[in-house]
Amino acid sequence: MSGRRIDRGRLADVVLAAVVGALGTAVAAFDDDTTALDHVLVVLASAALALHRAAPRAVLAAATVLGTAYVVHAHPGPLSALPVLGAVHTAARVGHRGLAAAGGAVFLAGYVATGPGTQHAAERAGLLAGWFLCAVVTGLADRNWQAYLRQTEQRALEAERTREEAALRRAGEERLRIARELHDSLTHSISIVKLQAGVAVHLARKRGDEVPPALLAIQEAGGEAMRELRSALQVLRADEPAGTPALLVERARAAGLAVDLTVTGDERPLPRAVDRAAYRIVQEALTNAARHAGPAKVRVRIDYGTRNTTDHTTDHTTDRTGEHMGELTIGVDDDGAADPDRPPVPGTGLTGMHERVSALGGTLRAAPRAEGGFSVRARLPLGETA
């Protein structure tokens, strides 16, 4: 779809240049004093408009120089300003207000300086000045309108993402509630049934009595029910991320975000809760960078730290009794447009990151950087395994 929009935009630019060129050459053809050089200047000034999306400043400069040269040489009417008017409008639309005004002023200066010093020439120059002012104003209005549309679309996307995250969070909380209810109500009851059946089977065998088939069936069914219940609880409690931080970085690059990933320290498997939190932190930080940082560069750093082990040796045999895992450090920095003087209002994503890190006993700092851009720093303790 984007390719089609680009092709349509280029076609519209070519059509605009062709229409302006046709009008300019048609007006010039009715002037007996028009030379071949004048026609060339009109065609070149009009043709430059076809490139106004790719190089608006260059198009403004070319149209101004060629248009001014044409009016100095041929002294045409007001319609000779059409190529310059188009270039001024497009330059103002992309934010080059000063250059647009300067281009219009240069053309007007050339038009007035070479025209006859009569009241009619002054009126025509005033008319052209009004046209150029309208070109600048409409360019700025178009720029503001496009910015408003982009902000509206971004707010809609953010609201949709927030609704999805809230729905997923509510679904996760409901799964956990169901898991707790099942564990508290069924696990205890099934365990008691299985235990009593096992005791009855043991006593019957100890006395030498024949164990009733129904009792054996109860014991077997109790064990099977416990296994099925544990499996169901694992499914309800599952909240595993679908990938790794490295995969998130690759997806961000494929989406057009410039991301660098650096991994340091002793890389190793992490505890499930820490691994899940690290994934979500990197995911949310990259999402925020893609939405708010603009065409920025993002650096993702993951530091596993140094793994320290304590070994006790007895009879030349090494017995590892403890392993201090240290902490995992995650950093995501971008050089976008975030301003330290205007810190963002924490949204659902930042609040969720804080909650995940706090639940693990870690620390999180998410704020604009002094040198510009946004920074996310998370430290997650890895605990100690025995």
Side-chain angles (χ1 to χ4, degrees):
M1 293 297 292
S2 61
R4 292 181 180 178
R5 286 196 297 267
I6 293 175
D7 292 339
R8 290 177 181 177
R10 291 175 179 173
L11 178 61
D13 297 341
V14 173
V15 171
L16 172 65
V19 170
V20 173
L23 289 174
T25 53
V27 172
F30 287 100
D31 191 349
D32 296 335
D33 297 332
T34 303
T35 64
L37 176 61
D38 297 325
H39 285 289
V40 171
L41 292 174
V42 171
V43 170
L44 291 179
S46 303
L49 294 177
L51 302 175
H52 73 86
R53 296 180 191 268
R57 289 181 294 185
V59 169
L60 176 63
T64 302
V65 171
L66 294 171
T68 304
Y70 171 52
V71 297
V72 168
H73 185 265
H75 312 294
L79 288 179
S80 61
L82 285 178
V84 185
L85 281 171
V88 167
H89 171 79
T90 55
R93 188 178 62 181
V94 296
H96 305 306
R97 295 173 295 180
L99 292 177
V106 169
F107 180 85
L108 284 175
Y111 188 87
V112 173
T114 59
T118 63
Q119 182 179 1
H120 182 63
E123 291 176 353
R124 291 165 65 180
L127 175 64
L128 285 179
W131 286 3
F132 279 110
L133 179 60
C134 289
V136 174
V137 171
T138 54
L140 294 177
D142 188 21
R143 174 182 173 84
N144 294 334
W145 174 249
Q146 295 298 328
Y148 171 75
L149 291 180
R150 288 192 297 269
Q151 291 176 0
T152 303
E153 182 180 2
Q154 183 176 353
R155 284 195 295 267
L157 292 174
E158 185 69 20
E160 181 66 23
R161 185 176 72 91
T162 302
R163 284 194 296 268
E164 292 177 356
E165 290 178 350
L168 290 174
R169 185 177 296 104
R170 286 194 297 269
E173 292 173 352
E174 184 64 17
R175 288 200 310 270
L176 292 178
R177 187 189 67 80
I178 295 173
R180 286 194 298 268
E181 292 294 332
L182 289 176
H183 180 272
D184 295 341
S185 60
L186 295 182
T187 303
H188 177 72
S189 300
I190 295 175
S191 298
I192 294 298
V193 171
K194 182 175 179 294
L195 177 61
Q196 291 178 344
V199 171
V201 169
H202 174 72
L203 292 176
R205 287 173 177 170
K206 187 176 182 180
R207 290 193 301 264
D209 299 336
E210 183 179 358
V211 180
L215 193 58
L216 292 175
I218 292 173
Q219 185 184 29
E220 183 178 355
E224 182 65 23
M226 285 297 296
R227 288 190 292 272
E228 293 293 337
L229 182 58
R230 290 193 185 99
S231 177
L233 292 177
Q234 288 177 356
V235 172
L236 288 172
R237 287 171 172 163
D239 185 23
E240 299 298 325
T244 63
L247 181 59
L248 289 174
V249 170
E250 291 299 326
R251 291 175 180 171
R253 289 172 180 167
L257 190 64
V259 188
D260 291 330
L261 174 63
T262 303
V263 179
T264 58
D266 298 331
E267 188 172 357
R268 56 196 179 276
L270 301 174
R272 179 177 300 178
V274 176
D275 188 37
R276 183 164 56 245
Y279 180 91
R280 297 304 184 194
I281 290 170
V282 174
Q283 182 183 47
E284 182 62 30
L286 290 178
T287 300
N288 289 338
R291 293 181 181 276
H292 306 299
K297 294 182 179 179
V298 184
R299 295 180 297 278
V300 179
R301 292 190 294 274
I302 301 178
D303 182 14
Y304 286 83
T306 302
R307 178 166 51 185
N308 299 322
T309 59
T310 303
D311 298 330
H312 297 279
T313 305
T314 303
D315 296 332
H316 305 288
T317 302
T318 301
D319 177 24
R320 179 176 295 177
T321 60
E323 187 174 41
H324 182 66
M325 303 296 288
E327 66 179 11
L328 178 73
T329 304
I330 302 172
V332 183
D333 300 331
D334 66 67
D335 56 359
D339 188 354
D341 297 330
R342 293 182 296 173
V345 177
T348 304
L350 291 179
T351 302
M353 281 197 288
H354 278 285
E355 292 174 350
R356 289 181 181 275
V357 174
S358 298
L360 296 174
T363 59
L364 176 73
R365 181 185 180 277
R369 301 191 305 165
E371 60 271 27
F374 200 81
S375 174
V376 175
R377 287 283 190 280
R379 294 181 179 273
L380 304 175
L382 300 179
E384 184 174 325
T385 62

